[in-house]
Each structure stands twice: as C-alpha cells, then as structure tokens.
Amino acid sequence: MNPSITRRRFLGAAALALPVLSSGQLMAQDAREALGPKQGKAKGGPHPLQALMQARPAPLRAELRGVHPRVFITSAGLADLKQRATTTHKAEWQQALAGLVAMKQDPAPSPAQKRRAQNTVAIGIAGAAMAYRIEGDERYLAAARKYMEAAVSYPVWGYTYSKPNVDLAAGHLLYGLGMGYDLLFDVLTEDERKRYRDKLAHQARLLAAHFAPKPGKTFSYSQNHCFIPIAGLAIAAYAIWDEVPEAATWAAQSRAIFSRVLDVASPDGYFYEGVEYWVFSMPWIIHALDAFAHAAGDDLYDHPALQKAHLYMAHSLTPNGQDIFDFGDAFEGPLTRSRHGDEAARTHPNGKLHSNYNLIYRLAARFKSAEAQGVADWMKSLGHVCAEDFWTLQWRDASITPAPITALAPHHHFDDLGTVYWRSDWTDKATAFAFRAGPPEGHHAATLFDKLPDWHLSMGHSHPDAGSFILYANGTYLSGPMGYAGIPRSNLSNTVLIDGQGQANEGHGHDAFADYPYARLDTIRLTTVNLAADRAEIVADLTGAFRQELGVDKLERRFTYEDGAWTTTDRLRASRPVVLTAQVHGDTTIASRGQQRYLVAGKPAALQVDIKTAGAKAVVEKGVVTAAGPPGNVDKGPREERGSVLRISMPAARETSIITTMRPVNG
C-alpha cells in the first residue's frame, strides 16, 4: 500500500488523473505479510470471535426493519440535512457538490484493474446518492445509477492478481453499493434492486467466508487490510438485512472484529502506521462505527484512541500546515516535500494537503469536543482536502463552539508510542521538531498478546526508526526520513546504526519487525521527557531496537533543544568493538563547510551540523531507498535516490559516544 513513484511506473498515468483521493490510494504489501486473517493450528474450544458474535450480535434495530434509508440516516435525518445544506453548512455542501467524482467522469469500465479505479467508483456512488437525496436533482440519480451499474459489472472486486474479492476494493464497493442501495431504495426499479442486492450478497459471502472465525485463525486487527473490508461488510449487511438471511451473521462478525480493532488501538491516539495511513484508515473506522451506532444502536465510540485522535493530527502537521512529521510509511520524503512528481497531485492537490480533516468534525460531534472542533476548523482554514466532502454535512455539528488552535498545548508526548512533538507556537513561523523511540505498535500491545490469542501483528508500515528525529524551522523542513519504503531500513531516517546495520530484522521484506521479539521492542522507551516553552530534553533507551548478536549492551540517545539549537548525544556500551554511526538526512545536497561542520541545504533555511566528538569520521552519501513495488510485492520495487545523508561514525570500540549539534541558518 504505497503512494510511491513505482505506482506510476506500474500503473500508468491514467490512474493518477482521478480527482478523488480515495482511501484505496495505497499499495498492497509484501506477499509474505498476513494482512487480514491467517490460519494456524487449531486449538481447543471455539474461536474468541464466536463468543463476541453471540454476546453482541449488533442486530438491525426493530424500528428500521423494512425501512430505507437506515444504515447511516433515516428520512427524518435527511430532512434535517436538507435544512443544513441551505443554512449552516451551505458553503461546505456546495463545495462537496462541486467535487463529486461521479459528475466529473465516467466510472472505469470492467474489469477496472487500474490503481484505485474501483475505490473511486465506490466513493462516486456514495457521493452521488447523497447528493440526490439532498438536492432531488435527477442528474445525481443518473450518475449514481451509472456508477452502481459499473460496480455490478466488475467480475472481481479488487485485483485479479492480489487478494481478489477480499481486500480493500471489496470493502470500498460493499460500502459504496450498499450505501447507494440504502439511500436510493425507494427510487430504484425492482430489477435494479435485485441486481444490486444480488451483487452485494455475492461479494459479502465471499468476504465473510474469508474472514470467518475458525479454530486456529488469527487476525491482524490493527492492520487496515483487516478492518477496511470488514467495514464494508457491516454496511452491506445493514443495507440488505431484510432480504438476505446471512446479513445478521455478517453484522455480528463485523461487530466482533471491530471490537478487537478498538481493543488493540493505541490509547494515546497515535496512529502507528503514520499520518498517511491515518488519512487512509480512519474513514473506515468512522463509517463502521457510525453504521453500528445508527443501524444497530450499538455505539462503540468511547475509546481513548478516538477521543485523542485530533491531537495526533494537529501535532503531526509541520508549521507550514501542508507537510507532516512523516514517521513510518508516509509519502515519498524529499519528492513529496518538493512537490515533484505525479504523486503531488494526489497528496497535495493544488498545493494543499489531503488530510480528510472532516473526520475530526465527526469525532468532535460525538465527544462534544471544542478542542477537536477547533483542530478541524484550523485544518480547514489551511485549505486541506477531504476525499468525501459530502459527509461534512452530517458530521460537523455547528452547535459546538471551537476552541482556537492556540488553546492547544504546542508540545505533546504520546507516551504509548514513545513519540514527542514540540513547537514554539502555532504560527507558520514556528520552530518545531518530533522525536520517537518506542515499540512499533506501542507499549500497550505487549500487555495484550496473552489476552488476545486471535491477534497477529503486521507492522510493515512502521519503520525501524527508534531514536529518530525530524526538524523544522524558519519555514523549512530541515531534516527527516526518506519516506515510504518497500523495504524499510534504519538508514532511511535520522537514527543510529551499529556496524552499518539497523534495527530489528530489517532488510528481509516490508515488515522489519517480523519474527523479532516484541518483548525486546517493548524495552525501547523514552526514559526522560522534559518539555518547556523554550527548551526540551528527551532521553531514549534504544538497546532493545538492535539484535542481540550485534553486541549492544546499552545504547542511549539524548536529544535536547535549547537556544535555537538541537543536540544529540549517543552513548554506547557493547560486548565487543562495534562502529557507532549517527545520521542526518537532507532533501537535496549536504556539503562540508570546514572541519567537522556540514551544511544540509534548504530554502529559505538550511541546517548547520557541527560534530563535537573528536575522532569522528563523516561521509556524505546519496540517499537510496527501495521504493514500493506492485500490489502484493511492495518489497520488489526499484532502488530510488531521495536526497542525501550525512553519516558520522566513530572507530570500532566497546564504549563510545557521538555528540552532534544542529541549528538553522540562512539557506
């Protein structure tokens, strides 16, 4: 799942011309990764999901049976939305109508195998159907029908060569066609209803069978390839509940899986796969929870991961409001930041970040949060883009008075994921940084394995980047990682290497943490976090990030900010002589400026790096990443240059240290 340059090479320019930035924008992963269910050896007793299905089956509310629409809203609710569309939400609704993909282009013809084509059809159906119910304009109905017919025409929902009928596109189309069927039920002909219903039932059966709980089967509950298809299954189940007996089982199955999705979600609100995957994934969590809440009267929202999600997005934006602190699989590093390449039209249409900020309006409404409402308003003021603008009509509660963004503390410690964000203020002139050192799915995950034997990890979107930092000042992204990688490695970010090697089991595929003991990852932690208005001190223990055979007995990184400069101090103790290397990345060039001083180029500011440790050897090299390959083989992409990297090494020793000071200067 990757918004990478390779996507252009494998799929061609046609797929990139789509104006809608659907959540199916990302690539399938390493063929070795178990992205949804994985069948293991059967153990005694029923599967844990079966008990959840029996305890909380989430049936359709009695008063909604035989009624349409019902999944997300009723006819009475639509009447309220029509009033909003001409009063409190008029401008937002007109913007949504202007951006409807179904009114701009024809749906992809069958078999629709280009990147994101089927996902765009799903978004097109949902938007056109909603527009018709609000506006009553036959043009929207005609567009919705055209897109629904396209969905029915696809013999395979998804890619014929990678997880057909059970992956992301299937989830999208179950959502889109299910929503169209529900909203337009009263105006569809009997033949149309049967055709759409039969297709929904056929695809739901395939997907439900794939995800059916069986003894020994485990699920990657925290992975989007698990919960996105299941979100679509839930919506389809409620849409055709009266007419397909199995729908009750599908709803119970979906509800059980989503209860686990929330069980494993980080309680600090941090999204472990990175900002781009928050944008990608959160719509499906919201859609599923809204379906359970409205159709079944079963509200699952009360979880700290959702209550704090606005904090993650607010702090993840750099001061210019259009770039991000891009930990994990997020964008293409220097290429995205410079807005070069075809991907910029997707990630930053018209130069504005595609952030799906209207999801935060939904969370603000559910939790009556002035703070979250203020974050959403702030992101809107920055000109951000949403894939499904039409949902703002229902999601934004105009009665909530937003708190200004300046009321939010300018620094935050996400203690579960071990990530700190600091900025001098909330203006675009702010100095800012981020630093992370924690296990890839958080410390809480280590407490759940014994409790959730039906959960397996799939952490390919997390990078082996413990101890890494990202710097921003004077209007410039100064230093950070190389972006989305088919094979994530520690040499792609501002962290340390041991004998030239990185963390965990990097280098063997898209998941650097596969077969690496999570208990050892759990020892990676921030031991000191002191944040103030004009300074910061962070100390991290990175010992557990490295394989035991590398001989690291103790590795500590101290990261400080004071008087406009950042300092990293790395101290190593090892069982044998090893070479310690610290790294600083640049988006373009890095040049020597005298003994032990280097300049990381940038505009309008550059980053001056001073090496304070005698005997250190520094080299400047090209930044090289294995970019993402095609669906199902993300680790098979081409090697690609992205910027430069300064690597600072000490001679092999059992005890050694490196001290580096960095400060912004004129570019």
Side-chain angles (χ1 to χ4, degrees), residues 307-602:
Q307 294 167 337
K308 300 176 183 179
H310 66 285
L311 296 175
Y312 174 68
M313 286 305 291
H315 289 286
S316 290
L317 296 177
T318 57
N320 68 0
Q322 305 302 334
D323 288 300
I324 61 172
F325 290 105
D326 45 350
F327 294 118
D329 274 347
F331 301 153
E332 295 179 313
L335 296 176
T336 301
R337 293 190 282 269
S338 65
R339 309 294 187 262
H340 286 166
D342 295 332
E343 282 295 285
R346 181 187 64 78
T347 65
H348 292 80
N350 297 316
K352 302 299 184 180
L353 178 65
H354 170 214
S355 69
N356 277 344
Y357 67 87
N358 64 350
L359 295 162
I360 299 177
Y361 279 131
R362 176 66 188 106
L363 297 172
R366 171 57 180 78
F367 298 114
K368 301 300 180 185
S369 171
E371 188 175 82
Q373 188 89 340
V375 170
D377 276 359
W378 175 61
M379 295 170 73
K380 177 184 176 183
S381 75
L382 297 170
H384 287 191
V385 176
C386 301
E388 296 182 287
D389 275 333
F390 49 88
W391 279 113
T392 305
L393 184 66
Q394 184 169 347
W395 288 346
R396 185 174 71 83
D397 183 348
S399 71
I400 298 175
T401 301
I405 192 66
T406 52
L408 199 66
H411 44 72
H412 191 82
H413 173 200
F414 291 90
D415 54 355
D416 185 48
L417 268 296
T419 308
V420 172
Y421 296 87
W422 185 99
R423 68 181 70 209
S424 54
D425 54 58
W426 286 101
T427 71
D428 59 2
K429 306 269 192 301
T431 295
F433 69 82
F435 181 92
R436 65 164 276 98
E441 288 212 38
H443 296 294
H444 83 294
T447 70
L448 298 177
F449 298 132
D450 291 339
K451 301 174 184 177
L452 304 178
D454 47 314
W455 178 33
H456 73 258
L457 297 175
S458 181
M459 300 179 289
H461 295 310
S462 294
H463 284 200
D465 60 357
S468 67
F469 57 82
I470 300 171
L471 310 180
Y472 189 103
N474 298 356
T476 305
Y477 186 108
L478 296 169
S479 183
M482 291 192 214
Y484 199 112
I487 302 180
R489 292 178 178 271
S490 300
N491 63 9
L492 308 181
S493 61
N494 290 332
T495 186
V496 295
L497 307 174
I498 302 297
D499 283 344
Q501 299 184 57
Q503 301 171 14
N505 286 330
E506 65 161 38
H508 301 291
H510 187 239
D511 189 345
F513 305 100
D515 301 320
Y516 194 84
Y518 202 89
R520 185 167 176 82
L521 293 172
D522 191 41
T523 66
I524 306 168
R525 60 186 58 241
L526 300 179
T527 58
T528 300
V529 178
N530 293 321
L531 307 176
D534 58 352
R535 64 181 61 86
E537 178 190 28
I538 304 166
V539 181
D541 184 346
L542 308 182
T543 310
F546 293 90
R547 300 184 303 281
Q548 288 183 308
E549 60 264 31
L550 291 176
V552 176
D553 291 335
K554 184 71 172 180
L555 177 56
E556 178 186 271
R557 168 162 274 201
R558 183 178 299 269
F559 181 87
T560 63
Y561 175 75
E562 190 170 13
D563 296 329
W566 297 277
T567 299
T568 61
T569 302
D570 300 312
R571 300 191 185 281
L572 170 73
R573 185 177 72 249
S575 59
R576 61 181 180 83
V578 298
V579 175
L580 175 66
T581 301
Q583 303 174 104
V584 181
H585 287 75
D587 281 2
T588 56
T589 61
I590 301 175
S592 174
R593 287 294 183 265
Q595 189 174 11
Q596 301 290 80
R597 174 170 291 178
Y598 290 82
L599 190 70
V600 180

Side-chain angles (χ1 to χ4, degrees), residues 107-114 117-118 121 149-156 199:
S110 182
Q113 292 295 291
K114 288 187 180 297
Q118 294 188 17
V121 169
E149 290 296 333
V152 172
S153 76
Y154 303 149
V156 169
K199 183 62 170 174

Side-chain angles (χ1 to χ4, degrees), residues 233-258:
L233 182 64
I235 292 156
Y238 292 124
I240 59 176
W241 180 283
D242 303 309
E243 299 132 315
V244 180
E246 304 104 300
T249 300
W250 302 337
Q253 181 180 350
S254 301
R255 200 273 183 201
I257 289 176
F258 261 91

Side-chain angles (χ1 to χ4, degrees), residues 110-113 118 150-166 169-170 173 199 202-203 206:
S110 182
Q113 292 295 291
Q118 294 188 17
V152 172
S153 76
Y154 303 149
V156 169
W157 276 7
Y159 302 108
T160 58
Y161 51 88
S162 179
K163 301 182 72 180
N165 295 314
V166 298
L173 285 169
K199 183 62 170 174
H202 171 69
Q203 297 294 157
L206 293 174

Side-chain angles (χ1 to χ4, degrees), residues 52-64:
L52 290 171
M53 291 171 66
Q54 293 174 0
R56 298 293 295 271
L60 182 68
R61 288 191 285 151
E63 63 269 30
L64 295 180

